[in-house]
Amino acid sequence: MTDTPESPAPDARGDRGGGLKSDRLSGLVLLALAGWIVWLNREFPVGTLADPGPGYVPLLLAVGLGAIGLLVALFGGDSQPLRDIRWTEARRAVVILVACGALTFALERIGYRLSVFAFLVFFLGVVERKKPLPMLLVAAGFSMASFYVVADLLGVPLPRGPWGF
């Protein structure tokens, strides 16, 4: 039997590269997320194109996300199988997710500016290992500038913390 260009040569185990590919899994996850958003959105009135309700844009975004997820799941077979992927950055990803979770709990307790400053100091200083002075300047500048833009210019209320800061 001769191999065609479309089918990869079997490896030592006789496997032809089957199995779930990472692109296809990503597409299925996006499709599931879109379905969950549509399900959550059922509580809001959608309205019409001329008079959209609060559920109109989330439904539109979920349909777009679902379409993209479906396209990726159907046509995304060029990536390597999941079993061949080495998760070398898994510990780093977990640290970042835990830091994001800590940030969400800290926002109401110590306020936006201090929470974002502490998060960026941790992320840039510990995770990324940047030099202290640039790291502190970026953390202070971003926490102050983002608060100014979002809270003062856009008028979105952000938590100020117990010290009003």
Side-chain angles (χ1 to χ4, degrees):
M1 182 167 127
T2 60
D3 288 327
T4 61
E6 292 83 28
S7 63
D11 61 8
R13 298 174 301 196
D15 192 0
R16 294 189 172 272
L20 187 60
K21 308 275 186 167
S22 61
D23 286 349
R24 295 214 168 125
L25 177 66
S26 299
L28 292 174
V29 168
L30 289 176
L31 191 60
L33 179 63
W36 183 56
I37 293 169
V38 167
W39 182 75
L40 289 175
N41 194 49
R42 74 189 192 290
E43 298 177 10
F44 300 108
V46 176
T48 63
L49 182 61
D51 186 26
Y56 188 83
V57 172
L59 182 63
L60 194 64
L61 291 173
V63 168
L65 182 66
I68 290 170
L70 185 62
L71 288 172
V72 169
L74 291 176
F75 299 111
D78 292 338
S79 64
Q80 61 190 39
L82 277 177
R83 68 172 177 262
D84 294 341
I85 296 176
R86 302 293 169 240
W87 301 95
T88 58
E89 295 290 326
R91 181 189 291 183
R92 185 182 185 113
V94 169
V95 167
I96 292 171
L97 286 174
V98 169
C100 289
L103 175 67
T104 60
F105 288 110
L107 277 172
E108 291 293 326
R109 289 166 181 75
I110 64 172
Y112 177 85
R113 288 179 265 202
L114 291 176
S115 298
V116 171
F117 177 78
F119 174 76
L120 288 174
V121 165
F122 172 77
F123 183 73
L124 295 173
V126 176
V127 177
E128 293 295 322
R129 300 184 190 271
K130 299 296 181 187
K131 294 180 181 177
L133 183 62
M135 176 259 308
L136 289 172
L137 292 174
V138 167
F142 185 82
S143 64
M144 297 300 178
S146 62
F147 185 88
Y148 175 72
V149 169
V150 174
D152 295 337
L153 295 181
L154 297 176
V156 176
L158 291 175
R160 293 194 185 261
W163 306 286
F165 188 73

